[in-house]
Amino acid sequence: MSGAPAAGAALVWFRRDLRDFDHAALHAAAGSARTVFCAFVFDREILDPLASRTDRRVEFILASVLELDEALRARGGALIVRHGFARDEIPALAQALGVDEVHANHDYEPAAIARDDAVRDALGACGIAFNTHRDQVVFERAQVLTRAGTPFTVFTPYRRAWLARLVPADVAPHAVAWRPGLPALPPEVFRSRPPTLASLGFAPTNLRTLGIPTGMQGGARLLAAFRRRIDDYATARDYPAVDGTSHLSVHLRFGTVSIRALARYGHDTALRVGPGAQTWLSELIWRDFYAQLLWHFPRVVEHAFRPTLEALPFPNDPARIAAWCEGRTGYPLVDAGMRELNTTGFMHNRLRMVTASFLVKDLLVDWRIGERYFAARLIDYDLASNNGGWQWAASTGCDAQPWFRIFNPVTQSARFDPTGGYIRKWVPELAQLDDASLHAPWLCPAETLRAAGVTIGREYPAPLVDHAAARTAALALFGRAAKDAR
């Protein structure tokens, strides 16, 4: 399909926004063009470097792309799917379809920004406009600033400013004006089908076995279920053995739900009900906070936000790193979190904080090593949030608390998994221990361990470190760095 551009044609490039409703780019394209084409690229620039060929994210995306394609076909169109380098595929497709403009939603990661700049240049050379829109977050970039006009670097004042700025228009849905025949596709394009997992070079994972809902329908089901328990969210969210969270993080990551709809629901419910919805809305605001932080300070991808803590002399013991990765540190709550991550691609948020703190401040390992491990395994991996969370736990990032805050893995375990339901699920070799003994099994009397069928160092490892001694070492390491920076 080449030749002179067909006036009034547009191409919508789907990325982290795999839905056909409340979609900023689709809304804009449908409002300005007579014909709208829709496309998604399985970008080799992202997929080729992946170390594992069994990646739950790829499988989640493919399932969601297939559902989106069916939804667009029900409207009389289809989703054009390519497997290649997006910086090449999108300009080539735009030329082949003869469009006047390409629409996409903003991305805030440095690599994505560079990709979009390359696409913009290539399209511009062909006389095709490239228009991008705000869709991943409620407020982006420099929309929420301090009174001095500088970016916020502490969450609480950012949250206050975010809430003070919010008006109904900010979370109003972006309706799509689907006119007859929109999007109209040439027959050969319409008949094309998305690729299979095998054709992308990947093998099936345990995504379906785990029962992780995919696509727009999956996101809608999860939200409907969460609405029934949102009142308890403020307290229940911290207990990993309790179904207290929304489970929507992966759907937010790939845009099968609308952040505007979620924020609107959270805000309206908070006004009527109270703390559960207020706390959940705060978690959504954290996403905006970390996204704007990454945009203003892209150096945080590889460097500490606090330059004074950039070169902490971590020992980075390989044996300790391997034990942490494999969930055999000897601390049951930490091990349970790491085993959940390795098995499911998910980890409860409380455990993300505990395991990150343990790696950095008990095992004295550079936060970047843990951040990369999470990045490779989390199905809901988001650069801004993952990086922000790790730097928060490592005290190298945007945190109002000083660097001497260190999570105690035993007290965290006793407080947030008091009956051991989470530990017993992921560390079954300790399942026969009583609730009081489960959190620090190395302190149990020998007869208690024997009765439970546990020998420390055989069925379950001895602790890698003594927490009290490790805490002292971490305080000394951070203290020296702070002193040297003066």
Side-chain angles (χ1 to χ4, degrees):
M1 293 265 322
S2 59
L11 172 65
V12 176
W13 176 16
F14 287 79
R15 290 106 70 94
R16 294 180 49 169
D17 41 27
L18 300 177
R19 64 186 187 278
D20 67 342
F21 63 92
D22 194 7
H23 190 288
L26 196 55
H27 167 83
S32 66
R34 291 195 300 271
T35 301
V36 176
F37 302 101
C38 299
F40 178 85
V41 179
F42 282 94
D43 195 346
R44 290 185 55 192
E45 194 167 343
I46 298 170
L47 299 184
D48 286 1
L50 293 177
S52 173
R53 295 291 95 184
T54 53
D55 193 298
R56 298 179 189 90
R57 293 167 295 189
V58 178
E59 193 166 356
F60 183 97
I61 293 168
L62 179 57
S64 300
V65 163
L66 290 170
E67 182 187 341
L68 177 60
D69 178 52
E70 291 302 318
L72 293 174
R73 287 173 184 271
R75 296 179 182 272
L79 185 66
I80 305 169
V81 180
R82 295 288 186 265
H83 179 210
F85 292 92
R87 62 178 65 215
D88 301 324
E89 294 286 345
I90 291 300
L93 185 60
Q95 283 187 280
L97 295 172
V99 303
D100 303 305
E101 55 191 19
V102 173
H103 291 264
N105 290 320
H106 291 161
D107 205 320
Y108 310 99
E109 299 180 6
I113 292 171
R115 174 204 62 202
D116 288 356
D117 287 344
V119 169
R120 180 177 287 103
D121 290 344
L123 290 170
C126 304
I128 300 172
F130 184 43
N131 304 310
T132 60
H133 311 272
R134 171 167 49 99
D135 192 77
Q136 280 186 32
V137 293
V138 176
F139 295 124
E140 64 173 2
R141 300 177 178 176
Q143 286 190 293
V144 180
L145 297 172
T146 67
R147 291 181 179 178
T150 59
F152 282 96
T153 57
V154 177
F155 175 70
T156 300
Y158 175 84
R159 177 182 179 275
R160 286 196 294 264
W162 191 101
L163 289 169
R165 177 186 169 124
L166 188 71
V167 296
D170 294 318
V171 290
H174 288 57
V176 179
W178 291 98
R179 296 187 294 276
L182 176 68
L185 293 176
E188 64 271 23
V189 174
F190 187 88
R191 285 194 296 269
S192 67
R193 304 297 296 183
T196 63
L197 202 58
S199 71
L200 293 172
F202 289 84
T205 69
N206 61 351
L207 187 77
R208 294 187 181 277
T209 303
L210 292 168
I212 297 175
T214 60
M216 296 177 284
Q217 295 180 44
R221 288 198 305 273
L222 289 173
L223 179 58
F226 181 60
R227 286 174 183 260
R228 296 192 289 270
R229 59 180 189 275
I230 192 171
D231 292 357
D232 299 323
Y233 178 78
T235 53
R237 72 189 183 109
D238 273 322
Y239 296 85
V242 175
D243 187 20
T245 63
S246 71
H247 305 291
L248 286 169
S249 56
V250 65
H251 290 272
L252 279 166
R253 172 64 180 88
F254 296 114
T256 51
V257 294
S258 160
I259 182 59
R260 285 179 293 275
L262 299 189
R264 184 169 65 249
Y265 169 67
H267 184 264
D268 293 349
T269 306
L271 293 177
R272 297 194 315 271
V273 179
Q278 289 171 5
T279 303
W280 188 59
L281 180 61
S282 288
E283 293 302 305
L284 298 180
I285 299 172
W286 270 107
R287 288 184 72 254
D288 278 20
F289 175 68
Y290 282 142
Q292 64 88 33
L293 195 72
L294 178 63
W295 189 80
H296 284 289
F297 306 101
R299 63 181 173 80
V300 299
V301 174
E302 293 293 340
H303 301 285
F305 177 80
R306 299 185 183 187
T308 56
L309 298 178
E310 169 65 23
L312 286 164
F314 290 110
N316 294 333
D317 183 333
R320 290 184 172 187
I321 295 169
W324 178 84
C325 291
E326 295 164 13
R328 48 180 181 83
T329 68
Y331 284 86
L333 189 66
V334 173
D335 292 342
M338 296 307 297
R339 295 181 192 188
E340 179 187 28
L341 172 64
N342 292 334
T343 303
T344 71
F346 175 79
M347 187 191 291
H348 189 279
N349 188 61
R350 170 59 54 176
L351 273 298
R352 298 189 196 201
M353 294 188 287
V354 171
T355 56
S357 175
F358 187 84
L359 181 71
V360 176
K361 295 179 178 177
D362 280 72
L363 302 185
L364 300 183
V365 173
D366 193 307
W367 63 270
R368 281 162 280 226
I369 293 173
E371 195 271 346
R372 290 172 191 140
Y373 190 81
F374 273 29
R377 284 160 179 79
L378 283 171
I379 189 173
D380 61 5
Y381 169 66
D382 174 273
L383 173 58
S385 294
N386 193 54
N387 181 279
W390 268 94
Q391 295 223 41
W392 181 91
S395 299
T396 62
C398 293
D399 184 7
Q401 294 285 341
W403 43 263
F404 50 75
R405 182 196 55 214
I406 299 173
F407 283 106
N408 183 316
V410 176
T411 56
Q412 288 282 310
S413 182
R415 180 179 178 186
F416 295 111
D417 193 26
T419 61
Y422 182 73
I423 291 173
R424 288 189 173 89
K425 178 177 182 179
W426 295 109
V427 191
E429 58 267 41
L430 301 179
Q432 298 306 311
L433 285 173
D434 61 83
D435 294 352
S437 303
L438 194 64
H439 309 292
W442 64 92
L443 298 178
C444 293
E447 58 271 21
T448 301
L449 291 171
R450 278 197 301 272
V454 177
T455 300
I456 298 300
R458 190 172 68 190
E459 285 81 18
Y460 188 69
L464 276 181
V465 295
D466 173 78
H467 173 69
R471 183 179 186 277
T472 299
L475 290 173
L477 185 146
F478 277 79
R480 286 193 299 271
K483 182 179 179 180
D484 293 344
R486 290 174 189 162

